[in-house]
Amino acid sequence: MGAGVSARPFLSRLWDLGNDDRPGFLVGYVGPKVKGGEPVRSALFSTEGRDTVRDRLRDPEKFLAAQLAEIEGQSRFRGDLVPALCPTLGVIAIPSAFGAEVVWWENDFPAVRPVIGEDIGKVRALRRPGLRDGELGRILDTTRAFLEMTGGRMPIRLADLQGPLDNAALIFGHTAFLEALIAAPREVHRVLDLVTDLTIEFARAQREIVRAAGAEFVPSAFQPWIPDGRGISVANDVAVMLSPALHDEFGVPYLNRLSDAFGGVYIHSCGDWTHLFPSLEKVRGLRGLEFGASEAPYEKVLARFGSRTVLACRIGLHRDIRFAGMADFVEKTVAAAPTPRGLFIHVDITNGLVGSDWPETDLDEIYRIVDRGNPAWREAAAKKEAGEREAG
């Protein structure tokens, strides 16, 4: 359970749903008070330190230093960490290539202004962008800079390219997009087609740059590490506002295209998307679901998808469902999981609503909970082993 090469075999088993012994886990930012260590500062979200978020994202040297500091902090803890660098700029990559104006906030991820808005006729003017249009060129340049500054010794993650629905919503503007799903479905499909094509082309281009430098490409912007060829990470946040029927029509076909191109999809969704269970089950090559346990009721998700796909669970926003502390989150997740197979617990509350009453996190207590596991897992394993003996 250490960082680096030693974590790869276990995580490979996890992605194969073969980790019968324990869940995977990784310790990130657990809150301001930590017993047994120091808080890990997020390279992407932290507003502490000398540099603003904007300065870090626009300066590869500063961004690299922040990511290396975060990796060093995580490496001091137990957990399934494969250190890797991510040249992400947040949600702006694909929309900026279609002409969306980027707003560079000083201490937050940048945002974009919609291209289409209420003028649906602007869809006809959209053309497939080039691989350096908008901020895509900056991402490729940062990828190359990371490779050069590390001598190609560290894996490089896929940049955050969001997903077809999320990018289309940013290009339209969210209200206009939701209206267009009903009033102008043909135009929505055209934008989704263009976005999906560009996503596939850009992810392949970034991978080629990394491979040409002799480095490892990790096809996910999210934890945990995933072997190249096993899928691609996708953000599907807008889906929470869609009915299953709308997601079947406007979400699933484009997720399937990404899955076919990269050997599967690993889907992140904010919010409560449990109403989309039947639609998500129509996605080909669904490798995993990344979610906040305080947003999508974790018991429902674990009961429906446990042992069927990887479930990467973190606390999330921490508003509707609340935990008494990090140990409470880990313990309840372990207790609710029908099996450790495919379960990955991200011990992290970055961006969560944490007040002054958030307790100190005792890392040794977290480790004990993970090591102890769920008694039901051992009983099931014993029954399986007995059955195999009888059959043999």
Side-chain angles (χ1 to χ4, degrees):
M1 286 193 290
V5 175
S6 62
R8 283 182 172 85
F10 173 80
L11 290 175
S12 295
R13 284 198 293 118
L14 181 137
W15 284 104
D16 288 334
L17 305 179
N19 57 311
D20 288 306
D21 48 340
R22 65 171 180 89
F25 77 102
L26 178 65
V27 178
Y29 178 70
V30 297
K33 295 174 285 188
V34 186
K35 182 179 180 181
E38 295 292 325
V40 175
R41 182 181 297 169
S42 169
L44 302 181
F45 298 105
S46 176
T47 57
E48 301 175 14
R50 293 178 304 172
D51 305 315
T52 65
V53 173
R54 179 176 59 200
D55 288 344
R56 280 202 302 272
L57 295 181
R58 297 172 77 167
D59 185 327
E61 190 171 346
K62 292 178 179 178
F63 202 13
L64 174 64
Q67 292 195 40
L68 291 175
E70 180 179 13
I71 289 168
E72 182 181 359
Q74 290 177 309
S75 298
R76 296 192 185 106
F77 306 143
R78 286 179 54 191
D80 301 298
L81 172 68
V82 176
L85 303 170
C86 188
T88 184
L89 296 177
V91 303
I92 68 172
I94 299 294
S96 72
F98 283 92
E101 178 189 352
V102 177
V103 181
W104 287 94
W105 305 115
E106 184 177 21
N107 263 321
D108 204 348
F109 268 10
V112 290
R113 302 190 194 280
V115 175
I116 297 168
E118 300 299 325
D119 187 355
I120 200 69
K122 290 183 178 179
V123 171
R124 290 192 296 273
L126 292 179
R127 297 292 181 266
R128 184 166 168 176
L131 289 176
R132 295 193 60 84
D133 287 353
E135 294 296 329
L136 295 181
R138 187 191 299 272
I139 293 172
L140 295 179
D141 291 344
T142 302
T143 299
R144 292 188 178 95
F146 283 177
L147 290 165
E148 182 177 346
M149 288 187 286
T150 61
R153 292 186 299 274
M154 289 194 69
I156 303 292
R157 289 186 173 277
L158 175 74
D160 183 357
L161 302 181
Q162 292 292 291
L165 285 173
D166 287 12
N167 285 317
L170 289 166
I171 291 167
F172 270 92
H174 284 76
T175 300
F177 176 71
L178 294 174
E179 291 173 350
L181 292 173
I182 306 302
R186 182 186 304 174
E187 285 78 5
V188 172
H189 279 297
R190 181 167 192 273
V191 174
L192 288 167
D193 272 330
L194 289 168
V195 162
T196 304
D197 285 344
L198 180 60
T199 301
I200 292 171
E201 184 181 8
F202 184 84
R204 286 173 171 165
Q206 190 195 4
R207 179 169 61 185
E208 265 315 300
I209 290 171
V210 175
R211 287 178 169 178
E216 177 189 2
F217 181 70
V218 182
S220 174
F222 316 122
Q223 295 289 356
W225 171 88
I226 180 174
D228 194 12
R230 295 298 305 275
I232 185 174
S233 68
V234 178
N236 203 38
D237 299 319
V238 170
V240 300
M241 296 183 279
L242 272 56
S243 68
L246 285 174
H247 192 259
D248 283 352
E249 180 179 352
F250 295 99
V252 173
Y254 303 96
L255 292 172
N256 283 344
R257 280 174 54 185
L258 290 171
S259 181
D260 292 344
F262 295 99
V265 284
Y266 173 33
I267 299 176
H268 154 87
S269 290
C270 291
D272 184 358
W273 42 269
T274 53
H275 65 290
L276 295 176
F277 281 172
S279 186
L280 288 168
E281 289 170 335
K282 297 174 184 176
V283 176
R284 288 194 296 270
L286 180 61
R287 298 297 185 197
L289 296 165
E290 200 276 349
F291 69 102
S294 66
E295 301 167 26
Y298 62 98
E299 289 143 321
K300 289 184 181 179
V301 178
L302 293 167
R304 183 71 168 245
F305 288 100
S307 80
R308 298 173 61 192
T309 191
V310 167
L311 296 175
C313 182
R314 60 194 153 70
I315 287 185
L317 186 59
H318 202 235
R319 184 185 64 185
D320 299 327
I321 299 172
R322 298 185 67 82
F323 298 95
M326 193 58 76
D328 185 49
F329 157 65
V330 176
E331 190 149 36
K332 286 180 175 174
T333 301
V334 167
T339 172
R341 292 195 299 276
L343 178 61
F344 182 86
I345 303 172
H346 198 175
V347 187
D348 186 281
I349 195 163
T350 300
N351 289 343
L353 300 176
V354 178
S356 58
D357 59 340
W358 183 254
E360 178 183 59
T361 297
D362 183 342
L363 294 177
D364 285 336
E365 184 179 9
I366 301 296
Y367 303 149
R368 284 193 296 270
I369 295 169
V370 174
D371 290 340
R372 184 172 65 244
N374 185 332
W377 301 344
R378 291 188 290 276
E379 293 172 11
K383 288 180 181 177
K384 179 182 176 183
E385 186 178 344
E388 289 173 349
R389 281 199 306 268
E390 289 180 9

